[in-house]
């Protein structure tokens, strides 16, 4: 059985869609294994998005993630890593379908409401990074 790391980004917390996002995951049948509202230290944001360090939008990305509290979660269930990505919708707003979280809430590529691990390796890395070895 798989676990994945899901984070409601600062725009989602501000817009009060945390409850809706938890509801969508619960309705799908996934189990919440950990959750916390936190102000993200810069070092944690940089480590989380380390794969994008060389991208032109990296500075903006770190600014955004540290701009207000995020709601970090670990969800467990059958194929949850891939299914969560489908529930989230595409990164680009013109590609995220209505009915998905981003398709319902986001119109910009940078303020796109939610993050979810993109592979088993990312999920393991991100769960340890945000919640420590206990949950991984
Ligand atoms: P995450 O779940 O946040 O990792 O999103 P993703 O996996 O759908 O996309 P990716 O990992 O490729 O990019 C990480 C984040 O960087 C995205 O969610 C966007 O917020 C941001 N991002 C990606 N591409 C761009 C871009 O071209 N411009 C800007 N400003 N931000 C971008
Ligand atoms: Mg990503």
């Amino acid at each position: 059985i798989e676990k994945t790391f899901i984070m409601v980004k600062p725009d989602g917390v501000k817009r009060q869609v945390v409850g809706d996002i938890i509801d969508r995951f619960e309705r799908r049948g996934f189990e919440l294994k950990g959750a916390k509202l936190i102000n993200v230290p810069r070092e944690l944001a940089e480590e989380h998005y380390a794969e994008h360090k060389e991208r032109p939008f990296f500075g903006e990305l770190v600014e955004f993630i540290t701009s207000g509290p995020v709601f970090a979660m670990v969800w467990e269930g059958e194929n949850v890593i891939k299914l969560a990505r489908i529930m989230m919708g595409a990164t680009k707003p013109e590609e995220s379908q209505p009915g998905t979280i981003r398709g319902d809430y986001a119109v910009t590529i940078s303020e796109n409401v939610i993050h979810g691990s993109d592979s088993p390796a990312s999920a393991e890395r991100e769960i340890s990074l945000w919640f420590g070895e206990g949950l991984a």
Side-chain angles (χ1 to χ4, degrees):
I1 200 116
E2 273 184 356
K3 290 191 190 72
T4 194
F5 174 70
I6 299 291
M7 167 174 62
V8 182
K9 297 183 182 183
D11 58 326
V13 172
K14 248 176 233 132
R15 291 171 59 189
Q16 306 191 117
V17 300
V18 169
D20 175 68
I21 289 170
I22 291 173
D23 192 45
R24 289 174 186 238
F25 279 84
E26 285 188 335
R27 277 188 278 145
R28 194 76 195 263
F30 296 128
E31 192 182 335
L32 186 62
K33 304 299 283 189
K36 57 184 176 185
L37 183 77
I38 63 165
N39 286 295
V40 186
R42 172 165 298 269
E43 311 72 58
L44 177 57
E46 289 174 350
E47 184 62 34
H48 174 75
Y49 280 124
E51 64 169 319
H52 298 305
K53 203 158 36 191
E54 307 305 329
R55 309 281 283 277
F57 56 83
F58 183 71
E60 196 184 311
L61 186 54
V62 170
E63 273 316 302
F64 172 55
I65 289 298
T66 56
S67 68
V70 304
F71 195 71
M73 296 172 278
V74 175
W75 286 91
E76 183 178 84
E78 193 77 35
N79 208 14
V80 66
I81 299 169
K82 185 167 287 174
L83 294 179
R85 294 284 294 187
I86 294 169
M87 290 163 69
M88 286 162 52
T91 313
K92 292 183 182 160
E94 66 272 27
E95 291 171 8
S96 56
Q97 300 299 310
T100 65
I101 294 163
R102 286 169 173 169
D104 287 347
Y105 292 125
V107 293
T108 66
I109 194 165
S110 46
E111 305 207 354
N112 60 9
V113 179
I114 188 167
H115 162 83
S117 307
D118 61 10
S119 68
S122 302
E124 205 174 300
R125 185 184 79 88
E126 292 169 3
I127 291 168
S128 301
L129 183 64
W130 291 80
F131 286 92
E133 299 298 333
L135 268 185

